Amino acid sequence: MISGKTQLIAHLGFPTESFRAPMIYNPYFEKHGIDVTVVPMGCRAEDYADFLRSVFRLSNIRGALVTMPHKVTTVALLDEVHTTAAVAGSCNAVRLNAEGGLVGDMFDGEGFVRGALRKGQVLEGARVLVVGSGGVGSAIAASMAKAGVATLALYDNHAPTMSGLADRLRQHYPALEVSTGSKDPAGFDVVVNATPLGMKEGDPLPMDVDRIAPSTFVGEVVMKQEITPFLAAAREKGCRFQVGTDMLFEQIPAYLEFFGLRPTTPEELREVARISY
C-alpha cells in the first residue's frame, strides 16, 4: 500500500520494460512493513540531467537506482562521488548527502566481490584477471582493488577504455600492480568474464579455458542462462565458480545499506522475489 508517508526510490533508465529490481525490492519492503517503494521511471538520455536534479527535489525521495543508459552520465552530475564510482567511471546508486547534494556510488562490483567472499574465495593479496573494461568490468575491477587484491590484469578489445580504467586504478590505488593487454588466464587466482560473450549462441569463449588452473575461481556476469558455455567449461576443469545472477542478489544488501534501510541477505531476497519475464 502506497500512502502519503511512502518514500520513493526512483529506478531510472530507458526503456523500463526489462527492469527486475522492483520485483525484488518491493516484496522485501512489503514483508517487513518498510514504507518505501521502488518506482520505475523511464527517462530518455537527452532529458536525464534535468530530470535527475528534479526528482531529488521531491520531499519524499529516498534515493535512486540508476541503470542503462545513464550510469556513466550520472558521475558528472554528482556533488560527491565515492571512490568505487570514480574508479569505475560510472554510478548506479544516488542519494542526498547531509548538505543536500547528490552523492553516488557503484555496486555492481560490490555484488561480485561479496559473492566471491561468501563462497570462501580469498581476495586480499590475490592475482585477478578481468576480461572486459566496460561498465560492469570497470565496477568489478574497482571493487577488487578496494578488496585488497595484489595484482589486477585488464583486457578489453577497445584499448582506450582499458587504458582509462588502468589509469584510474593507479591513481586511486598506487600500491596495486595493474597490467593491461593480455587475457591469458594462466597464473591467476581469480578470472572474470565481464564481456557480453555468452549472450548469443555461438559466441567464442572470452578466454582460453585450457589455460585456467583447476584451483582458479571463475566469475561470470552474463545472466542469459545460469551456466554459460564459459562456466560449463570451467566447471569441467573442476574450478569453483560464480554465476551471473549471484552478483545481482549480492549487491542489493549493499544498496539497502547505502539508502539507510533495513539490512538483509541474498537468501532472503531470493525467497521473497517475484520476478517475472
Side-chain angles (χ1 to χ4, degrees), residues 10 12 43 47-59 61 64 66 73-81 94-97 99-104:
L12 305 176
C43 181
D47 301 320
Y48 180 67
D50 290 336
F51 185 75
L52 181 66
R53 288 285 179 183
S54 296
V55 79
F56 273 95
R57 293 191 182 103
L58 296 174
S59 63
I61 191 74
V66 180
T73 307
T74 300
V75 176
L77 303 174
L78 300 173
D79 301 299
E80 179 184 345
V81 183
V94 181
R95 60 171 168 78
L96 295 174
N97 61 20
E99 293 74 37
L102 296 181
V103 54

Side-chain angles (χ1 to χ4, degrees), residues 28 118 249-250 253 256 262-270:
Y28 170 72
R118 280 163 53 83
F249 282 96
E250 288 281 355
L256 294 172
R262 183 187 184 278
T264 186
T265 64
E267 290 79 11
E268 182 180 26
L269 292 168
R270 290 180 186 275

Side-chain angles (χ1 to χ4, degrees), residues 27-213:
Y28 170 72
F29 294 151
E30 181 182 354
K31 175 183 176 181
H32 293 286
I34 300 169
D35 201 1
V36 177
T37 189
V38 173
V39 182
M41 298 184 182
C43 181
R44 297 177 187 273
E46 58 267 29
D47 301 320
Y48 180 67
D50 290 336
F51 185 75
L52 181 66
R53 288 285 179 183
S54 296
V55 79
F56 273 95
R57 293 191 182 103
L58 296 174
S59 63
N60 63 334
I61 191 74
R62 185 75 181 223
L65 309 174
V66 180
T67 190
M68 296 300 291
H70 307 315
K71 290 183 181 182
V72 173
T73 307
T74 300
V75 176
L77 303 174
L78 300 173
D79 301 299
E80 179 184 345
V81 183
H82 285 187
T83 300
T84 302
V87 174
S90 60
C91 168
N92 65 0
V94 181
R95 60 171 168 78
L96 295 174
N97 61 20
E99 293 74 37
L102 296 181
V103 54
D105 208 343
M106 164 55 77
F107 293 114
D108 283 344
E110 179 72 11
F112 186 94
V113 163
R114 288 189 182 205
L117 291 173
R118 280 163 53 83
K119 293 175 179 65
Q121 177 60 41
V122 175
L123 294 179
E124 187 170 359
R127 298 160 296 173
V128 179
L129 168 66
V130 179
V131 178
S133 300
V136 66
S138 295
I140 290 172
S143 291
M144 286 288 185
K146 180 182 176 183
V149 304
T151 301
L152 194 51
L154 308 174
Y155 179 83
D156 195 276
N157 288 331
H158 189 248
T161 299
M162 177 179 62
S163 298
L165 173 59
D167 290 344
R168 296 192 299 274
L169 284 164
R170 293 181 181 117
Q171 175 187 349
H172 289 275
Y173 296 96
L176 177 65
E177 181 183 335
V178 181
S179 64
T180 61
S182 173
K183 59 178 178 179
D184 182 358
F188 290 96
D189 303 306
V190 179
V191 298
V192 184
N193 173 38
T195 77
L197 292 175
M199 290 286 291
K200 299 177 182 177
E201 189 174 348
D203 275 350
L205 296 181
M207 63 190 80
D208 185 355
V209 177
D210 289 339
R211 299 277 291 168
I212 300 176

Side-chain angles (χ1 to χ4, degrees), residues 205-270:
L205 296 181
M207 63 190 80
D208 185 355
V209 177
D210 289 339
R211 299 277 291 168
I212 300 176
S215 59
T216 300
F217 184 85
V218 176
E220 174 70 279
V221 304
V222 172
M223 301 183 195
K224 183 179 181 181
Q225 54 190 338
E226 184 172 52
I227 303 298
T228 62
F230 175 55
L231 288 185
R235 182 174 62 181
E236 186 70 20
K237 293 203 67 173
C239 297
R240 295 173 300 119
F241 59 87
Q242 176 162 283
V243 303
T245 53
D246 284 349
M247 183 176 67
L248 175 64
F249 282 96
E250 288 281 355
Q251 70 180 283
I252 291 178
Y255 274 111
L256 294 172
E257 294 163 17
F258 181 73
F259 293 133
L261 295 168
R262 183 187 184 278
T264 186
T265 64
E267 290 79 11
E268 182 180 26
L269 292 168
R270 290 180 186 275

